[in-house]
Amino acid sequence: MARLIDGKAVALRIKTQAAAEVEKLRQRGIIPGLAVIIVGDDPASRVYVNNKKKDCAEVGIYSEEHALPADTDLNRLLALVESLNNRDDISGILCQLPLPKGLAADEVISAIAPNKDVDAFHPSNVGKIMLGDYQFLPCTPAGVMELLKESGTEIAGKDCVVIGRSNIVGKPMAMLLMQADGTVTICHSKTKSLAEVTRRADILIAAIGRAKFITADMIKPGATVIDVGMNRLDGKLCGDVDFEAAEKVAGAITPVPGGVGPMTRAMLMQNTVTAAKIQSGILK
Ligand code: NAP
């Protein structure tokens, strides 16, 4: 039976560390602040934004929400980002995605000052990640790396398979694993013989968005399996991995919920603290 990788426990540790850092900054008169922009009324986005505000309150980070109607035009959104870029009390800016149709997310992300880009989606931060010289990492892949470390999974020299090639999960995930000396294969919807590829993985990362897509026969016995997926099946949250069957084959595995999700939230807190340090000159 696989060892369970407890994302909730690791996330709590990271948030506790972030809270201690915030306390130290406060003693120097620095209060980290996160501005979250939400456009429209997507229910999932609303839940994510509420969670972020809750996390900020727990960690001691000032937060403010900018909720705009779905018919907001791009210029108004860009003006808001610009005003937040110019505020000293705002360390980090985040625009909750997806944006309503007609609003170009890439234009909004590119308008965020790179040193306030706590999602690490700005092209300049993406480039820095490619170069291996970065201040911010995107929260989900960064959270996965922490889980691998915490679970004692060795990456160097191991076969790592990432399923999914999105800009926010799959691509940066693969890059981080490669930088940690893993031998990385990226799979996607056009990959042939997917199961043959995944069965070679010592570390398997599923970031697909299809409930229970990864079945036990796709997993190498003893592999570490990280399930990034968040899907609804019969009203219940579930991952991309068929957990009940997979845990009989894997060596270590993350559950959904309670795996990668809490880590994504915790890493945002860490990034916001980093942003506050950069802006106050503590970090270069
Ligand atoms: P996305 O942008 O939709 O990307 C999904 C990827 O999966 C694409 O690269 C796609 O391939 C690939 N894919 C789809 N069907 C496939 C198949 N049959 N075989 C192999 N690959 C296939 O999604 P995302 O934003 O990366 O998110 C992925 C999942 O992670 C979602 O469930 C999302 O909700 C979840 N998520 C969770 C967290 C968290 O904190 N836990 C954070 C972010 C995302 P193509 O490129 O060829 O289309």
Side-chain angles (χ1 to χ4, degrees):
M1 209 65 155
R3 219 161 10 94
L4 199 69
I5 305 174
D6 185 350
K8 262 195 199 162
V10 184
L12 180 62
R13 184 176 54 68
I14 287 173
K15 277 166 66 176
T16 305
Q17 276 167 7
E21 297 261 332
V22 169
E23 186 47 40
K24 276 195 225 156
L25 289 172
R26 278 177 181 263
Q27 283 166 15
R28 300 171 68 160
I30 301 158
I31 299 171
L34 177 68
V36 181
I37 302 169
I38 176 167
V39 187
D41 45 19
D42 176 56
S45 292
R46 171 43 60 202
V47 172
Y48 296 142
V49 168
N50 288 348
N51 286 341
K52 284 164 189 166
K53 290 191 319 195
K54 196 167 144 243
D55 291 335
C56 283
E58 277 173 28
V59 170
I61 292 172
Y62 164 75
S63 73
E64 63 182 36
E65 176 186 315
H66 296 266
L68 301 173
D71 61 358
T72 299
D73 83 3
L74 183 64
N75 286 335
R76 181 174 168 205
L77 194 48
L78 294 177
L80 170 62
V81 170
E82 189 54 26
S83 72
L84 296 169
N85 282 341
N86 291 327
R87 275 177 51 190
D88 290 341
D89 60 332
I90 295 298
S91 337
I93 304 168
L94 179 155
C95 182
Q96 187 64 49
L97 300 178
L99 288 173
K101 275 203 177 70
L103 283 173
D106 54 347
E107 288 201 49
V108 180
I109 290 164
S110 296
I112 296 173
N115 66 359
K116 294 191 177 189
D117 171 39
V118 285
D119 261 340
F121 295 164
H122 189 287
S124 148
N125 287 324
V126 174
K128 285 182 174 179
I129 293 162
M130 283 286 290
L131 297 171
D133 177 22
Y134 43 76
Q135 285 158 321
F136 299 117
L137 285 176
C139 299
T140 301
V144 171
M145 292 305 280
E146 285 291 329
L147 288 178
L148 290 174
K149 194 163 106 189
E150 194 69 25
S151 66
T153 302
E154 201 187 321
I155 301 171
K158 299 292 177 190
D159 280 322
C160 308
V161 173
V162 179
I163 316 172
R165 56 175 164 179
S166 70
N167 289 334
I168 62 168
V169 188
K171 280 186 206 164
M173 188 71 253
M175 191 55 58
L176 295 184
L177 289 166
M178 187 191 71
Q179 285 168 4
D181 296 331
T183 301
V184 182
T185 305
I186 307 174
C187 300
H188 45 76
S189 67
K190 306 288 186 292
T191 298
K192 291 207 173 79
S193 311
L194 183 67
E196 269 176 38
V197 182
T198 59
R199 271 198 294 268
R200 292 201 296 267
D202 301 304
I203 298 171
L204 181 62
I205 317 276
I208 310 160
R210 295 184 66 173
K212 301 192 178 188
F213 183 80
I214 303 296
T215 46
D217 60 310
M218 298 170 82
I219 297 169
K220 178 178 178 175
T224 296
V225 178
I226 307 284
D227 190 351
V228 180
M230 283 208 297
N231 314 289
R232 290 255 158 217
L233 195 63
D234 303 327
K236 269 180 69 182
L237 188 64
C238 81
D240 289 342
V241 177
D242 181 2
F243 181 87
E244 283 74 25
E247 71 171 341
K248 297 189 176 83
V249 182
I253 189 167
T254 57
V256 177
V260 176
M263 291 303 296
T264 299
R265 291 171 57 177
M267 300 318 284
L268 176 65
M269 298 299 103
Q270 197 181 78
N271 279 354
T272 306
V273 171
T274 300
K277 288 184 185 170
I278 294 169
Q279 274 133 61
S280 56
I282 296 172
L283 271 182
K284 288 276 177 285

